[in-house]
Amino acid sequence: MVELDPVIHAAARLRITAALATLEPADSIAFPRLQELLDMTAGNLSTHLRKLEDAGYVTVEKTHRGRTPVTYLALTPRGRRAFEAYTEALRAVLGG
């Protein structure tokens, strides 16, 4: 039986990873924009991002735009490979 990555397999983390995978490898997205796209609370999104960051799948860059703090998120190369492996494994499980 094919093993699905447990870090990505949680529904919320799968949604986050899938959304970040749509970005170009060098691009990132602001936290509020991702929160809006996924319709998640800030706390829920933060919790799942921490797990993805701890696994080395996501980078979290905190900076300022003027005096306003801004957090940017992106998949790491490792995260992109993990998502691609996850989708391949899921296809295998589904018989595709």
Side-chain angles (χ1 to χ4, degrees), residues 14-46:
L14 177 57
R15 291 175 59 223
I16 293 166
T17 309
L20 294 176
T22 65
L23 301 173
E24 292 296 321
D27 288 345
S28 61
I29 188 170
F31 182 95
R33 179 67 180 134
L34 184 61
Q35 180 185 357
E36 177 185 359
L37 286 172
L38 299 177
D39 192 29
M40 295 175 75
T41 66
N44 194 19
L45 181 55
S46 292

Side-chain angles (χ1 to χ4, degrees), residues 18-90:
L20 294 176
T22 65
L23 301 173
E24 292 296 321
D27 288 345
S28 61
I29 188 170
F31 182 95
R33 179 67 180 134
L34 184 61
Q35 180 185 357
E36 177 185 359
L37 286 172
L38 299 177
D39 192 29
M40 295 175 75
T41 66
N44 194 19
L45 181 55
S46 292
T47 298
H48 288 290
L49 283 169
R50 174 66 48 94
K51 290 211 181 259
L52 291 166
E53 184 181 21
D54 289 348
Y57 292 176
V58 171
T59 59
V60 177
E61 179 188 346
K62 295 180 183 256
T63 186
H64 286 81
R65 181 177 293 154
R67 293 179 184 240
T68 306
V70 182
T71 301
Y72 290 102
L73 311 160
L75 274 184
T76 63
R78 178 179 178 180
R80 194 167 294 276
R81 285 190 306 272
F83 181 70
E84 290 167 359
Y86 179 89
T87 56
E88 288 174 19
L90 189 57

